[in-house]
Amino acid sequence: MSEDFKLDATARNDLGKGASRRLRRLAAQVPAVIYGGTVAPVSVSVSANELMKHLEHEAFYSHIISLNVDGTAQDVILKDVQRHPSKPVVLHLDFLRIDKATKLHTHVPLHFINEAFSKGVKIQGGKVVHNLTQLDVICFPHQLPEFIEVDLANAEVGTIIHISDLKLPSGVVSADLQKGADHDLAVATVQKPKGAVEDSEEA
């Protein structure tokens, strides 16, 4: 991991929509829940200002977070962020407890590299379509990558890159491929340049 994330939280007993609204409006806190493992779910709140700084980092969404609840730290990952539909406000968070000895199922962002320099784009005038922006993976917590690269350097027009074409880090497997070959989804596609079919027919 290139980044260590730590976040303070406070346990809360005042539950319900009204209590959550008061937290966000009066205390600048964001309600959240921690679940998973053999321990019962716990409702907490985190500082909105501290949270927004972390959310600016892409890695925060897929990295292990040290969540300090009233002085007791526990390892979690961020499973869900509920945002306001029209305002830059986070409404609620879901954190999942993790066990370093147990594999976890989560998603990792995809980074597309060499897209502008690929043969399909630079020479053939095609366009790259990102069919997926993140990949569901299964691995041990210490194997969780910050992101997975999709190299488009050799992609030509008509190329379809599937999950099975990706080079995953050691110990990391695709959750989709575990379901069978028919779940080998398209990750990126290099489409023909606009008007190419029409031009060919006119010729």
Side-chain angles (χ1 to χ4, degrees), residues 15-92:
L15 307 178
K17 293 183 178 180
S20 296
R21 283 195 294 267
R22 287 192 296 273
L23 268 176
R24 291 189 293 265
R25 187 176 68 252
L26 303 177
Q29 296 280 312
V30 177
V33 63
I34 309 169
Y35 66 95
T38 58
V39 185
V42 176
S43 295
V44 300
S45 62
V46 300
S47 165
N49 290 335
E50 185 180 0
L51 174 67
M52 295 308 292
K53 292 178 182 178
H54 285 314
L55 290 177
E56 293 176 356
H57 297 270
E58 180 188 49
F60 186 71
Y61 295 84
S62 59
H63 269 44
I64 298 172
I65 303 164
S66 178
L67 189 63
N68 188 334
V69 182
D70 296 331
T72 302
Q74 52 190 299
D75 290 333
V76 301
I77 58 173
L78 183 61
K79 287 297 288 185
D80 187 49
V81 181
Q82 297 178 25
R83 301 177 186 270
H84 192 282
S86 59
K87 301 177 182 178
V89 175
V90 175
L91 301 178
H92 192 273

Side-chain angles (χ1 to χ4, degrees), residues 123-187:
I123 299 177
Q124 299 174 322
K127 177 184 178 182
V128 176
V129 175
H130 300 162
N131 303 95
L132 297 179
T133 57
Q134 59 186 24
L135 186 70
D136 285 344
V137 300
I138 299 173
C139 64
F140 286 106
H142 71 275
Q143 298 170 324
L144 187 62
E146 181 177 340
F147 56 83
I148 294 172
E149 287 189 345
V150 182
D151 192 352
L152 297 165
N154 298 318
E156 301 182 8
V157 165
T159 296
I160 301 177
I161 297 177
H162 292 86
I163 293 176
S164 58
D165 297 318
L166 303 181
K167 294 181 180 179
L168 302 183
S170 176
V172 179
V173 298
S174 161
D176 289 298
L177 291 184
Q178 293 294 295
K179 301 173 186 176
D182 55 334
H183 290 269
D184 190 9
L185 305 176
V187 175

